[in-house]
Amino acid sequence: MDVYLQKLAERLRVILGANLVGVYLQGSGAQKDYKNGKSDIDVITVVNDSIPDNQKDLLALELSHNKLPVPAAGLDLMIVTINTARNPTPNPEYEFWFATGKTWQTEVDRKGQTSEVLIFLATCAEQAETVYGLASKQVFTPVPYEMLLKTLIDILEWHRKKILDHFHDPLGQYSVLNASRAWMYADEKILGSKSKGGQWVLEREPKNDLVRNALSIREGRNAVAPQSSDIDAFLLKVLEICRSKLSV
């Protein structure tokens, strides 16, 4: 992965020039939770100012899997301005959102805003690997607790609509482990990896077979999907815990 990240950073440097602030690996790759063949490569790129359309066209071309093969399930790359990275809002803007991979359909979103960006910003503020540029601690500001918790609640509600979805979560482990780390964040104010969240739940509930099974699937030791009703019940339980932490 290191060689790929350096090639990726080099292409970003060539295209973005002096506008580039830094390139950061986040998600499972930075949290030491990367699983070969299953995890994707999550990258946030930070720029000083907005990106012109011609550069976005060039990025979509030069970063595609056909041009720069991704040695993972896929590449999920987002570009934000340094103002967004340093001043989190409930619905942050992004300049460019790009996904590509051998089995992924290449997707290009040229500009937008969504609360989901907060997850990436918070992960980078807590734990990111600087591939190029300014150190992550100089760029990313921690996301306020309730702002991020509301985003995690939204994500769990989304998971309730995608339980055992063939594309997003065929075996249910993502729903269960994202709920686990949301619970850990609600109680501990730590946004850890999916695996860390699952392990955290098992320390409190050693007989939680749903979480244990999800961790086994993530480790490649089990491929049996649980009942959708069990997953939904766990999601509802964690949603109640998360909502109870919000101020009235």
Side-chain angles (χ1 to χ4, degrees), residues 135-166:
S136 59
K137 296 298 183 184
Q138 295 178 266
V139 176
F140 297 95
T141 299
V143 177
Y145 172 72
E146 288 208 3
M147 187 185 294
L148 183 56
L149 189 58
K150 288 176 181 177
T151 298
L152 292 171
I153 288 170
D154 290 343
I155 288 173
L156 295 187
E157 288 289 9
W158 178 86
H159 271 300
R160 290 195 66 210
K161 301 173 185 176
K162 301 291 182 179
I163 294 174
L164 299 182
D165 178 88
H166 177 71

Side-chain angles (χ1 to χ4, degrees), residues 202-214:
L202 286 182
E203 289 174 2
R204 284 144 187 81
E205 297 185 349
K207 295 183 179 181
N208 191 319
D209 291 334
L210 183 72
V211 173
R212 191 180 307 281
N213 180 68

Side-chain angles (χ1 to χ4, degrees), residues 214-227:
L215 286 170
S216 293
I217 292 172
R218 186 164 179 79
E219 294 293 336
R221 299 195 304 268
N222 191 349
V224 179
Q227 295 294 315

Side-chain angles (χ1 to χ4, degrees), residues 72-89:
L75 168 70
D76 192 354
L77 178 140
M78 178 182 289
I79 301 179
V80 299
T81 65
I82 194 164
N83 182 62
T84 294
R86 288 178 172 168
N87 301 284
T89 61

